[in-house]
Amino acid sequence: MTSGSKSGTDVVGGHIGLVVTITALVAIASSSGLRWTLIVAACLTAWFVLALTVIHIGGGRGGEAVRRAYVATFGWGDYVTP
C-alpha cells in the first residue's frame, strides 16, 4: 500500500471528475429525461465495477482497491482543472 503525495492528488482529481460527472448527469436529466440519465449512470457504474474487478483479480484488496477503481473511473478530473 502506497501513501505518497501522488496518491492524494489522484483522489483529488477523482473528486473533481465525480463533481463534473454529477453536473453532467443533472444536465442530461434536465434536457433528455430520466431514461438517458439512468443509461449514462449505469455505464459509469459498470466501468467502476469492471475496474474494481480487474484490480481485485490483480491482487488489490480493501480500501486501496476501491480507491484505485475510483481513480480509474473519475481520475480524469485532473485534466479539467488548470
Side-chain angles (χ1 to χ4, degrees):
M1 189 173 186
T2 60
S3 60
S5 62
K6 181 66 176 163
S7 173
T9 56
D10 285 349
V11 173
V12 171
H15 294 332
I16 294 168
L18 179 63
V19 169
V20 171
T21 301
I22 290 171
T23 304
L25 285 173
V26 168
I28 292 169
S30 65
S31 65
S32 298
L34 185 61
R35 177 178 170 220
W36 282 105
T37 305
L38 291 175
I39 290 171
V40 173
C43 290
L44 287 167
T45 303
W47 178 261
F48 179 81
V49 169
L50 177 66
L52 188 59
T53 302
V54 168
I55 291 166
H56 184 70
I57 289 171
R61 298 287 185 263
E64 179 67 16
V66 173
R67 184 195 65 78
R68 289 172 56 196
Y70 178 75
V71 170
T73 305
F74 299 108
W76 52 266
D78 276 339
Y79 302 106
V80 176
T81 59

